[in-house]
Every structure is written in structure tokens, then in C-alpha cells.
Amino acid sequence: MNPIEQDQIDRLSTSASREPFLLALYATHSANSQGRKHPEPEHAYRSPYQRDRDRIVHSSAFRRLAHKTQVFTGNLGDYHRTRLTHTLEVASIARTMARALRLNEDLVEALALAHDIGHPPFGHAGEQTLHECTLEQGGFNHNRQALRIFEHLETSYPDFPGLNLTNEVLAGQQHRAEGKKSTSGSMPSLEVQVVDASDNIAYNAHDADDALQMGLLQAEELDEVPLWRAVASDVTQRFGTLDEDQFRRAVVRQLINRQATAHFLATKQRIADQQIESLDDVRDAALLVKPEEDAAKKQKELESFLFARVYRHSRVLEQRDIAQNALRSMFQVLCDNPEKLPGKPRELAQHDDLERAVADYLAGMTDRFAWDEHARLIKSS
Ligand code: MG
């Protein structure tokens, strides 16, 4: 290799030196990061967002996603997505879209891997129960809980509480927590918008897949959804007759590809039409990462179908009631008998509301651990 080539490679060995070549002007560049609450020296060659991603992956809250419910809890088999595999699918779709749009993939990956970290056991059923239990203390929301984890509850680092993530990752999560009530008046970065969109694309596709595989739905029922029907007809045209399993998987793959492509193309066009040339332009514009109106309507129809026919399915609701009762009774027993809390949550209860400390403890549990604790706390009492 001649010395000039070697010199060029050396100059591109850090993220900060690569980003100006790789990222669009409207992307979030790590050189412009607003840093961390507790200042730290920069790493020699990892970007601040790579470090955020690694801190998230190495956190205990992230590992626990492996045994937390996405939608299906209880005795419904083990084919379906867990909170962890959902998270990985979101990260995969979001990175693909980010690279195609020349956004900051490291930031997108950190945001995607973090996005569901605040979920309690038993999915949204668990979240609703914890919310009801803590109404007087301000309620419970998985997006706000993620911020508590990032800022207080993880204790792996001796030099600061939480994970000390960059302001950009925290701001993205803050946006999720505020949702439509966002008061900041400006739009989040495109990296945040891409992760939001990828979350919807991922769960539409995989919840249909899981529900079909579990027999909660029949493929013919999904034919009433125009988006599914269009994709299913493409698959049949291309491959002819497939067995049930291959057909379902082929449709689900196409469903992800079609939705992600619709988002990518419409977003790219919008960026060009509106002459978006900086992060400030992104913040001043309306939502940029979304498909054209017709594709958005079709996606919504699939979501509404899944809501009515899967999330409200009697087998899902039955498991949901069992899980909610278990969580509610554990909350009560622990609030009445705080001495039954283990060391760390008991310590937290002395500095915080008892109810909040109990909610933090319960929210941190995996489904499996929650059942073990339920046996210890309820069945033994
Ligand atoms: Mg999600």
C-alpha cells in the first residue's frame, strides 16, 4: 500500500473524521453533540453515540428484555417476539433506513436499542397496572421509565448515576415520553423520527406473523386488510403456491420491505422538496419521516385490524387478566410490607416514594422473575 493511501485511512480511523464524508448535512453529527450531564473525556476512536449504544447493550435493563413480553404473555408458545427480539428488529429496520438517508447510524442504533427498555413485565398490560397503582404519584409510563433507568436506576458506573448518555439520546427518549403533548415546539432529529417509524413497521409485521403462527388469526382473515392483501398477492404471483409457513414468512418480509421503502422514498422526496439542509431545518419542518398519505392510511388499517383482532383476542385478554392481577397483588403486598423488598429497592424506598420504589422494582422484573416473586410474596403469605 502506498503511503498516501495509508495516510488517508489513518485520517478516517475515527468516527468524527468519517462523519463529514458519510453523513448528510441534515443528520446529527457527533461533533455537534451537546455532550453528557457528567462531562467525560472523549474516547480515542469510538463516537459518543457508539459509546451510548454499548452502554445500553451492557445494561441489566437491556438484558432483561430477553424475558419480557412484547404482546403475548403466558402459555402461548415460544415462537413469538420478546421485547428483545422486537427491539433488534426495530434497530435493523432503522439502521437500514438511516444509512439510505445518510443519517447517523450509531445514534439511530442507540435510540432503537433503548426505545423499549422501560417496559415492565407483561407488556402493555403490566404498564397499565403499574400506572393505575401509582396514579397518586404521577402514574407510570414505559417511556418515562426508560429515562429513570438511564438517569438513576442503572448503577454500573462508579463515577456517575445511570448511564450518563448523550443529550441527543436522552432528548430522543424525552420526545417519546412527551409524545403528542410535546411542548418544546420543535421536531426531533431525523434519527429519532426514523426509530419511531421503524417501531411501527416492525410491530405491524411481526405481530401479524406471531398471531398467525399461534393460530389467533387465519391468513384469510387478514385478506380483509388491503395492505396485507396487496403484499400476499405479490408473493403468490412471484412464488406460486407456498406452504403455509413459507407463505406467512414471505408476506411478512415483503410487508417490512414495502413499508420501509415507502417511508424511505417519501422522506427522501420531502427532504428535497422542502430543501432540508441542516438539523435546524429538520427541527422547523413538520414530520419528515412518514410515507405518502395512501401508504400511511394502509398501514393504519393494518394496525387497527391487529388491535381489534389480536390485542383484544380472548386468549390474549385472558392471559392479560391473570398477569395484571399478579402484578397488582404484588404491588399491594410490597407497599404494605416494605421489609419484603430486597436490599437495593428497599434503600431506594427510603429516598423516594415507597410506591415509586415498588413500581421501579416491579417494572425491572422479567415475566419469569415476576412469577417467581409472585410465588414468594403471595402464595407463601
Ligand atoms: Mg417498540
Side-chain angles (χ1 to χ4, degrees), residues 37-48:
K37 183 173 176 191
H38 305 279
E40 296 177 51
E42 286 309 327
H43 192 273
Y45 52 88
R46 281 150 78 219
S47 82

Side-chain angles (χ1 to χ4, degrees), residues 26-28 86-87 89-113 115 172 175-176 187-203 256 259-268 270-271 279 282 286-291 299:
Y26 49 72
T28 306
H86 160 72
T87 295
E89 289 187 29
V90 173
S92 163
I93 296 167
R95 276 192 13 235
T96 301
M97 233 192 283
R99 190 178 301 182
L101 290 166
R102 297 180 59 213
L103 300 177
N104 196 320
E105 272 184 72
D106 295 334
L107 176 56
V108 158
E109 196 176 14
L111 289 163
L113 295 177
H115 90 279
H175 165 77
R176 290 182 72 86
M187 291 305 287
S189 67
L190 285 168
E191 283 80 1
V192 173
Q193 295 186 35
V194 158
V195 172
D196 272 354
S198 304
D199 190 16
N200 296 344
I201 295 170
Y203 72 64
I256 295 173
Q259 292 180 96
T261 306
H263 277 76
F264 164 64
L265 292 175
T267 303
K268 200 173 161 209
R270 230 168 260 127
I271 287 171
L279 189 49
V282 172
L287 185 72
L288 289 163
V289 182
K290 58 179 179 181
Q299 189 175 319

Side-chain angles (χ1 to χ4, degrees), residues 100-367:
L101 290 166
R102 297 180 59 213
L103 300 177
N104 196 320
E105 272 184 72
D106 295 334
L107 176 56
V108 158
E109 196 176 14
L111 289 163
L113 295 177
H115 90 279
D116 266 353
I117 216 164
H119 263 290
F122 313 134
H124 287 284
E127 177 171 39
Q128 190 190 342
T129 300
L130 288 183
H131 180 64
E132 287 161 10
C133 290
T134 53
L135 271 180
E136 281 176 31
Q137 290 73 38
F140 180 93
N141 166 284
H142 74 272
N143 286 316
R144 287 206 310 265
Q145 190 66 12
L147 289 169
R148 283 181 68 73
I149 291 170
F150 297 151
E151 294 178 309
H152 307 288
L153 298 176
E154 282 287 332
T155 52
S156 320
Y157 298 85
D159 32 1
F160 46 76
L163 299 178
N164 201 29
L165 301 175
T166 59
N167 188 279
E168 290 71 34
V169 172
L170 293 179
Q173 191 57 36
Q174 185 71 40
H175 165 77
R176 290 182 72 86
E178 289 176 9
K180 293 196 175 83
K181 288 177 295 191
S182 178
T183 48
S184 60
S186 70
M187 291 305 287
S189 67
L190 285 168
E191 283 80 1
V192 173
Q193 295 186 35
V194 158
V195 172
D196 272 354
S198 304
D199 190 16
N200 296 344
I201 295 170
Y203 72 64
N204 274 340
H206 68 49
D207 290 351
D209 183 25
D210 290 352
L212 284 171
Q213 196 277 341
M214 283 188 278
L216 298 176
L217 276 182
Q218 301 305 315
E220 305 77 60
E221 291 178 75
L222 270 159
D223 276 344
E224 69 183 72
V225 182
L227 176 59
W228 181 275
R229 204 166 54 233
V231 174
S233 137
D234 281 356
V235 166
T236 308
Q237 253 181 25
R238 185 162 166 210
F239 298 107
T241 311
L242 295 173
D243 72 37
E244 209 177 284
D245 206 44
Q246 278 187 323
F247 176 73
R248 188 187 72 244
R249 288 167 194 252
V251 173
V252 167
R253 270 198 305 277
Q254 287 296 328
L255 201 57
I256 295 173
N257 186 41
R258 183 184 283 232
Q259 292 180 96
T261 306
H263 277 76
F264 164 64
L265 292 175
T267 303
K268 200 173 161 209
Q269 191 60 48
R270 230 168 260 127
I271 287 171
D273 291 348
Q274 297 178 33
Q275 299 179 330
I276 302 292
E277 282 164 2
S278 67
L279 189 49
D280 284 342
D281 291 346
V282 172
R283 296 205 184 286
D284 292 341
L287 185 72
L288 289 163
V289 182
K290 58 179 179 181
E292 296 296 352
E293 220 168 285
D294 184 54
K297 185 173 152 262
K298 286 202 163 70
Q299 189 175 319
K300 203 86 210 140
E301 288 163 353
L302 175 58
E303 275 169 29
S304 308
F305 176 91
L306 291 171
F307 185 81
R309 306 284 269 278
V310 176
Y311 312 144
R312 316 298 298 170
H313 191 285
S314 58
R315 274 173 68 197
V316 174
L317 291 182
E318 196 181 303
Q319 295 294 339
R320 177 189 170 100
D321 285 348
I322 297 171
Q324 288 192 314
N325 287 335
L327 208 52
R328 204 174 292 119
S329 47
M330 279 196 282
F331 183 87
Q332 207 48 57
V333 167
L334 288 170
C335 285
D336 293 345
N337 309 276
E339 74 284 356
K340 293 193 173 181
L341 282 167
K344 213 161 99 184
R346 203 183 323 151
E347 221 175 273
L348 283 173
Q350 284 157 7
H351 306 288
D352 217 332
D353 286 334
L354 172 61
E355 288 81 0
R356 182 58 60 198
V358 171
D360 284 341
Y361 177 53
L362 293 174
M365 293 179 180
T366 61
D367 291 28

Side-chain angles (χ1 to χ4, degrees), residues 14-84:
T14 65
S15 295
S17 59
R18 275 194 304 269
E19 284 183 4
F21 297 99
L22 295 175
L23 304 190
L25 290 171
Y26 49 72
T28 306
H29 291 243
S30 61
N32 302 329
S33 172
Q34 288 176 27
R36 307 172 191 276
K37 183 173 176 191
H38 305 279
E40 296 177 51
E42 286 309 327
H43 192 273
Y45 52 88
R46 281 150 78 219
S47 82
Y49 308 134
Q50 279 181 292
R51 296 175 82 188
D52 286 349
R53 177 203 57 205
D54 297 343
R55 286 175 191 195
I56 292 158
V57 169
H58 289 278
S59 68
S60 15
F62 183 79
R63 282 196 299 283
R64 291 194 191 120
L65 296 175
H67 299 286
K68 288 192 177 193
T69 289
Q70 172 66 18
V71 173
F72 307 105
T73 186
N75 193 19
L76 290 168
D78 56 7
Y79 173 85
H80 57 78
R81 273 67 174 179
T82 64
R83 195 58 71 181
L84 178 65

